[in-house]
Amino acid sequence: MNRPLPVPGKRAVVLLSGGLDSATTLAIARASGFACYCLSVDYGQRHRVELRAAAAVAGALGACEHRVLRLRLEDFGGSALTDASIAVPVAGLQPGIPVTYVPARNTVMLSLALAWAEVLGSRDIFIGVNAVDYSGYPDCRPEYIAAFESMANLATKAAVEGATLRMHAPLLNFGKAEIIARGNELGVDYGLTVSCYQADQDGRACGVCDSCRLRRAGFAAAGVDDPTAYFVS
């Protein structure tokens, strides 16, 4: 695929988990002319294989750099993704905020992205949150993104000196099928991505957690073959 060349000096920090949404977000940032600096966080998630996927996606989509920061959010626990004693729900999407919500995760990650953006001289941060086909996490809502942008423009040396920071959440109002369709247009290889909350070491998905259900339904609705390898049919 012929990708547009980045505009000189137009840098963006892209939060990259290794999943479907963040891969599409990286492709959108790239197509918008940004030189992309990808940040992944190893926060003790049980599906740590997604970090290997993030590296593959960053390479495939031409990121200028990909860094992985190590945190220990599992020291706090409080989520099925960071505490092995809490089971990942597999009965389908339910009302309310599920136990796969990781307390303050997006706030922590965006703060790290903000710090790197200042160092890079970047005014733009991309995050692949979605408030349509999602698990109900409070830090995926448009009002949260707007609030973080406001905070960032109060809290940083760059902003105080006149460099207005912009938060980009290009998938915010997209359903999964729309996300997949857009990614296909931009040449995203979804076979490289891992979305499952309990993927095995080979990256195979369970097929029944909330994330797998949303992903499967998205491919079906988009009329696109699902390249996901499942260990449960």
Side-chain angles (χ1 to χ4, degrees):
M1 181 185 73
N2 292 322
R3 302 189 187 96
L5 293 174
V7 176
K10 189 178 177 182
R11 295 178 171 182
V13 175
V14 181
L15 283 173
L16 186 66
S17 70
L20 183 154
D21 292 345
S22 68
T24 308
T25 298
L26 172 56
I28 290 171
R30 217 7 226 181
S32 300
F34 286 96
C36 296
Y37 292 76
C38 294
L39 178 64
S40 302
V41 181
D42 179 351
Y43 59 89
Q45 63 268 52
R46 68 166 74 209
H47 54 312
R48 197 167 289 150
V49 68
E50 72 174 1
L51 297 171
R52 192 171 69 218
V57 169
L61 291 177
C64 294
E65 188 174 346
H66 176 227
R67 293 193 183 187
V68 179
L69 293 185
R70 177 75 175 99
L71 300 180
R72 295 191 61 88
L73 295 186
E74 75 270 31
D75 287 352
F76 297 144
S79 168
L81 300 191
T82 57
D83 185 340
S85 70
I86 303 174
V88 171
V90 295
L93 293 170
Q94 305 295 325
I97 299 171
V99 295
T100 50
Y101 165 69
V102 179
R105 177 177 60 182
N106 283 350
T107 302
V108 170
M109 292 183 179
L110 284 171
S111 296
L112 295 170
L114 177 60
W116 196 18
E118 275 209 279
V119 172
L120 291 170
S122 167
R123 299 185 181 191
D124 299 273
I125 296 174
F126 282 76
I127 184 172
V129 294
N130 169 252
V132 179
D133 289 334
Y134 78 127
S135 296
Y137 300 152
D139 52 4
C140 290
R141 297 174 297 161
E143 52 266 45
Y144 167 76
I145 297 300
F148 191 94
E149 182 177 275
S150 295
M151 181 279 296
N153 280 299
L154 291 171
T156 57
K157 176 178 181 291
V160 168
E161 292 179 348
T164 301
L165 180 101
R166 293 177 294 270
M167 289 290 304
H168 302 264
L171 309 182
L172 197 57
N173 298 308
F174 282 20
K176 273 289 186 287
E178 294 174 283
I179 294 169
I180 291 165
R182 182 65 177 133
N184 271 350
E185 292 172 0
L186 295 173
V188 176
D189 179 359
Y190 288 118
L192 298 176
T193 65
V194 172
S195 300
C196 179
Y197 291 148
Q198 47 189 358
D200 67 13
Q201 289 305 303
D202 295 321
R204 295 180 301 173
C206 72
V208 291
C209 70
D210 289 355
S211 187
C212 279
R213 290 175 186 271
L214 289 167
R215 180 179 170 117
R216 266 185 158 170
F219 279 109
V224 175
D225 289 340
D226 183 356
T228 310
Y230 294 98
F231 61 81
V232 176
S233 60

